Amino acid sequence: MTSRFPVWRRRRASAECTSCFDYSRCSLTSQFPVYVYNRKDFGASANVDESVTHAMMQGFDASPHVTDDPDIACLYVALITEYSSNVSSTLEDLLHQLPYWNSGVNHLLINIALDPTDVDVFEGVDTGRAFVASSSFSDFSFRAGFDIVLPPALGISSGEVWQHLPMIVPARRKYLLMFSGEYIYDKLEPLTFRKASSGYGHFNEGTVLHNSTYVSRNSRHLLESENEWSKSDTLKTLLYFENTIVEVLKSIQTQIESDRFFFEFVCPGGSEKLVGLNGEWAICGDEERRASLLRQSTFSLILAPTNYSVSSTLLTQQRVFESLKNGAVPVILGDYLALPFAEVIRWSEVAVLLPKARITELHFFLQTFVDADILEMRRRGRIVFETYLGDARSAADTVLAVVRARLKIPAFPTREEPSPSVFNDSFVPIKETVVDAMLDAEEILGPVEPPMNSPRYRRNFTVGWDSFHLLSGDPFHLYPFTPFEPVMPADAKFVGSSYGFRPIGHGAGGAGKEFGEALGGNNPREQFTVVILTYEREAVLISAVTRLKGLPHLNRVIVVWNNARPPSEDLRWPEIGVDVHVVRTAKNSLNNRFLPYDAIQTEAILSLDDDAHLRHDEIMFGFRIWREARDRIVGFPGRYNAWDINHESWLYNSNYSCELSMVLTGAAFFHKYYTFLYSYVMPQSIRDKVDEYLNCEDLAMNFLVAHVTRKPPIKVTSRWTFRCPGCPKALSVEDSHFHERHKCLNFFVQVYGYMPLLNTQYRADSVLFKTRIPHEKQKCFKFI
């Protein structure tokens, strides 16, 4: 087959960003201001599709980068669809009439493609030095590394994307591979690509490919054949190759019995048909039929157009879009295609990319995928779809992020929640001196030091290179810190980078006193913030705060006052050596526990219920363990999700078990980064469910962290539950509490499309726990 396959040396269109962009308008600290042209700037002759552009404009309006002041803009954005052919002015004239055009410098032209027969709305148009973003490009106009391939304008304009997506499991569906399409080729019609003189060109049986010259928008490029292909040999070879692909697929379908396939090469009579370019496979059936077939298929075959001078077409991108949406792993035959947002999406992780010459080995190749690979590709494909493709706002955010990342400008900082005090300005709460918690005088747990906040925004210009590939996080905002920052080599804390480190015994190691005096570990010293959620239990709350007096490495205590009524005026607040800040909330919601309050100035958060009784040594041990596993939930009460065989659903279980999958956040450490994701990135429907039941916020946080990290939590010490003598009856002892948690588990699975929680069978205890040591030596902790 390779001997019949034409190999062409092509010089792709190119443009250097340094010659097409005015960097003086976009300083590294500018925060990337973007001005989006209004419709009136195009004049009345522009035929902009209202529904599509309205959805896209909503996305831009929500972007923190967009400004109304064109004088400070770094980038100017114009949204364009097809323009009417009967208007007097051309699109080129309209572009040149834009008030800030300046030969296209610092401009981004977004072509929201609607007509699958259009190769490029900018065909023959002088776009100057502007970036072009479109779903359709010819090979001679697409400037790799400069222009941007867009997904089709098919995403939802409102609501949540997950509601339109299938479950990720089972790994293997009814059909191993599916393809539905009808090859469209009319020898009387051209296979279109760009030509120098008129802006249109074609090769058909009257065109000789060898030694013909074509021009992109801004420069000349030569298209050469590898051999002296005649005018008839070229097309015959291309058509022969398409016929061979069909014959191979038919052979697979009829001869292989171990797997099932769905192939149709002619659209059923009377069914809808989306026809694209000449030499391209039309899409058969309506959207409902296509979705049904894709949801029954493990892999979806996508054949690139026969016209190898086309880099991207709307129909091809639509096939990719629908495959990801319906959970069929795309198998793209045609390695000359450009895919959407390729600079930020690692397409090799969500799709199978092969040259057409591999068609005879396709079945063998797909058989090598084990279930874990299929499920991970499908999971990653779903995340890519939800993050970058699924709705208008995602597409708007991504196209701006691509340009911003090229300019090395950091993303816009995420917002933190204000922390208004529950006390008004004129009220001074009563303070009360309390004695230190009962501690073992012989055990040193650590120094009690003045508050020391965690350094913020240290990696503004170095984190961008990998932010897009934190698959389940948020690549569109800059965070003050994340749990994924690199750890320096062990010798760096002694040679050249020692600031902030406190090695145990100054590096010599040790136990007992030496261990207690220094945090050690692989990260500089730091502190943590305690966040206590409370509601109408003043006495219980005061006891909980009092127990924190003298706690080492404590930065601040945040009390989330989840009650519309303020605290009693005669309530006596204990003085514990650090600030106790009581936050007024807008409503009684358990989601308030995980708001990213601006008063939290540390990476580490210890979340506590007001009735959780923990000793200081338990807290310190949990903090030390968290410092070694900053991306995970580290805590005390363990729980697990049990599978109900009879009903094929999940059950919440709090019984003692040798396997767990959750650590309840009533007594757990986690990174502040997850409070941002919980409040701003996690689907709103999960927070709504928490408010509906006044329950399950701890399950939601466990789901979120497991989804982001694909790791289970870490349980520390033997603690499994807490007893609070004298406390009012807790909600968690009611039968309805467990029924609601069963429902939450299964609803969250629907939102994520799979069960992200992972099982673990170990807990963490101190290194020298139960180790026999000489009597003159001390352990790390006396009771842990």
Side-chain angles (χ1 to χ4, degrees), residues 7-253:
V7 182
W8 298 334
R9 291 193 302 269
R10 297 172 298 184
R11 303 176 191 170
R12 286 184 178 270
S14 63
E16 292 295 332
C17 196
T18 54
S19 65
C20 293
F21 207 85
D22 181 4
Y23 282 80
S24 66
R25 298 191 63 88
C26 308
S27 74
L28 292 174
T29 58
S30 65
Q31 295 190 327
F32 191 55
V34 175
Y35 178 78
V36 181
Y37 283 109
N38 193 288
R39 272 200 60 184
K40 63 182 178 61
D41 295 314
F42 291 95
S45 59
N47 180 29
V48 181
D49 182 87
E50 290 290 346
S51 61
V52 177
T53 55
H54 177 69
M56 183 68 79
M57 287 300 298
Q58 282 185 319
F60 284 125
D61 289 343
S63 172
H65 297 289
V66 171
T67 177
D68 293 329
D69 185 357
D71 294 331
I72 67 169
C74 161
L75 183 72
Y76 299 88
V77 177
L79 272 64
I80 299 168
T81 60
E82 300 91 341
Y83 63 96
S84 302
S85 59
N86 58 354
V87 298
S88 57
S89 60
T90 65
L91 177 57
E92 187 171 313
D93 293 333
L94 292 174
L95 293 177
H96 292 182
Q97 292 169 15
L98 291 174
Y100 311 102
W101 178 243
N102 188 25
S103 300
V105 174
N106 291 38
H107 274 67
L108 171 64
L109 307 179
I110 299 179
N111 171 27
I112 304 175
L114 301 175
D115 186 353
T117 62
D118 245 8
V119 178
D120 190 347
V121 73
F122 298 107
E123 188 75 52
V125 174
D126 178 13
T127 57
R129 292 191 281 175
F131 297 105
V132 173
S134 178
S135 296
S136 301
F137 283 104
S138 71
D139 186 60
F140 308 96
S141 65
F142 180 62
R143 298 165 291 180
F146 193 75
D147 293 330
I148 302 169
V149 178
L150 294 180
L154 300 173
I156 65 170
S157 57
S158 61
E160 293 187 319
V161 176
W162 71 266
Q163 297 171 325
H164 304 266
L165 308 180
M167 297 294 290
I168 290 174
V169 295
R172 299 187 183 275
R173 297 173 171 178
K174 180 179 180 180
Y175 303 114
L176 175 67
L177 181 66
M178 71 80 62
F179 175 80
S180 174
E182 183 173 322
Y183 188 66
I184 305 298
Y185 173 67
D186 185 348
K187 66 180 181 180
L188 299 179
E189 292 294 326
L191 293 177
T192 305
F193 58 88
R194 192 174 302 279
K195 193 175 180 179
S197 58
S198 64
Y200 282 93
H202 55 270
F203 70 88
N204 54 27
E205 294 191 12
T207 303
V208 181
L209 290 176
H210 177 64
N211 204 29
S212 298
T213 304
Y214 303 93
V215 175
S216 71
R217 282 191 288 270
N218 299 306
S219 59
R220 299 178 65 84
H221 294 274
L222 184 65
L223 177 67
E224 299 177 318
S225 66
E226 181 70 19
N227 300 303
E228 297 290 331
W229 294 96
S230 70
K231 59 185 180 181
S232 59
D233 283 344
T234 301
L235 280 177
K236 287 180 180 178
T237 302
L238 293 175
L239 297 177
Y240 166 82
F241 202 75
E242 293 297 325
N243 289 331
T244 302
I245 291 174
V246 172
E247 293 304 316
V248 170
L249 294 176
K250 287 181 178 179
S251 175
I252 290 174
Q253 188 172 28

Side-chain angles (χ1 to χ4, degrees), residues 611-665:
D611 58 357
H613 285 235
L614 285 174
R615 304 192 313 266
H616 284 198
D617 59 342
E618 292 175 311
I619 293 175
M620 293 317 305
F621 178 64
F623 180 49
R624 288 177 180 270
I625 296 300
W626 176 85
R627 280 171 39 85
E628 298 180 15
R630 309 172 75 85
D631 60 340
R632 299 162 81 171
I633 297 176
V634 175
F636 299 87
R639 301 292 186 266
Y640 71 99
N641 54 304
W643 181 249
D644 184 344
I645 299 176
N646 295 326
H647 299 92
E648 295 188 343
S649 61
W650 294 101
L651 298 174
Y652 172 80
N653 200 307
S654 62
N655 295 330
Y656 294 104
S657 171
C658 293
E659 192 170 63
L660 60 92
S661 59
M662 293 173 281
V663 165
L664 301 188
T665 54

Side-chain angles (χ1 to χ4, degrees), residues 591-602:
N591 292 312
N592 294 333
R593 179 198 293 271
F594 301 130
L595 284 172
Y597 294 111
D598 56 11
I600 301 174
Q601 293 291 309
T602 61

Side-chain angles (χ1 to χ4, degrees), residues 518-780:
L519 275 175
N522 303 308
N523 293 281
R525 70 186 181 102
E526 60 187 320
Q527 297 176 342
F528 60 90
T529 302
V530 169
V531 177
I532 301 176
L533 182 74
T534 189
Y535 181 81
E536 292 190 346
R537 299 204 293 192
E538 292 183 346
V540 175
L541 169 66
I542 295 302
S543 295
V545 174
T546 301
R547 287 192 296 271
L548 299 176
K549 181 176 175 59
L551 181 62
H553 307 297
L554 178 61
N555 179 275
R556 170 181 272 187
V557 176
I558 304 293
V559 175
V560 180
W561 190 262
N562 228 16
N563 194 338
R565 296 194 304 271
S568 303
E569 292 186 1
D570 58 351
L571 191 64
R572 296 180 178 272
W573 294 88
E575 291 186 329
I576 62 172
V578 298
D579 177 42
V580 177
H581 183 70
V582 187
V583 178
R584 183 182 72 250
T585 58
K587 66 176 182 178
N588 177 20
S589 170
L590 295 180
N591 292 312
N592 294 333
R593 179 198 293 271
F594 301 130
L595 284 172
Y597 294 111
D598 56 11
I600 301 174
Q601 293 291 309
T602 61
E603 296 186 52
I605 293 174
L606 172 58
S607 174
L608 289 176
D609 286 340
D610 55 10
D611 58 357
H613 285 235
L614 285 174
R615 304 192 313 266
H616 284 198
D617 59 342
E618 292 175 311
I619 293 175
M620 293 317 305
F621 178 64
F623 180 49
R624 288 177 180 270
I625 296 300
W626 176 85
R627 280 171 39 85
E628 298 180 15
R630 309 172 75 85
D631 60 340
R632 299 162 81 171
I633 297 176
V634 175
F636 299 87
R639 301 292 186 266
Y640 71 99
N641 54 304
W643 181 249
D644 184 344
I645 299 176
N646 295 326
H647 299 92
E648 295 188 343
S649 61
W650 294 101
L651 298 174
Y652 172 80
N653 200 307
S654 62
N655 295 330
Y656 294 104
S657 171
C658 293
E659 192 170 63
L660 60 92
S661 59
M662 293 173 281
V663 165
L664 301 188
T665 54
F669 285 92
F670 53 83
H671 199 283
K672 185 180 178 180
Y673 173 75
Y674 294 121
T675 64
F676 293 107
L677 297 190
Y678 185 100
S679 302
Y680 306 144
V681 178
M682 186 181 72
Q684 177 64 41
S685 54
I686 293 181
R687 295 188 293 275
D688 291 343
K689 186 63 67 175
V690 169
D691 285 337
E692 177 186 346
Y693 288 150
L694 276 178
N695 197 345
C696 306
E697 86 287 355
D698 47 358
L699 310 188
M701 180 58 85
N702 274 270
F703 267 69
L704 173 66
V705 176
H707 176 61
V708 171
T709 64
R710 303 305 298 127
K711 297 176 183 178
I714 297 178
K715 173 173 168 43
V716 292
T717 78
S718 60
R719 288 270 193 177
W720 194 264
T721 187
F722 297 99
R723 299 185 183 279
C724 181
C727 291
K729 186 177 180 180
L731 292 174
S732 59
V733 301
E734 301 286 347
D735 288 341
S736 60
H737 173 81
F738 287 92
H739 291 305
E740 289 167 353
R741 290 167 89 79
H742 300 329
K743 294 178 182 178
C744 285
L745 283 178
N746 290 287
F747 177 73
F748 296 167
V749 167
Q750 291 293 322
V751 174
Y752 283 102
Y754 73 111
M755 168 54 79
L757 299 179
L758 296 172
N759 296 331
T760 181
Q761 298 180 1
Y762 82 95
R763 76 175 192 222
D765 289 299
S766 178
V767 171
L768 296 180
F769 180 61
K770 290 191 175 181
T771 300
R772 300 174 67 89
I773 61 174
H775 68 277
E776 70 273 12
K777 300 291 183 180
Q778 289 182 307
K779 293 189 175 184
C780 312

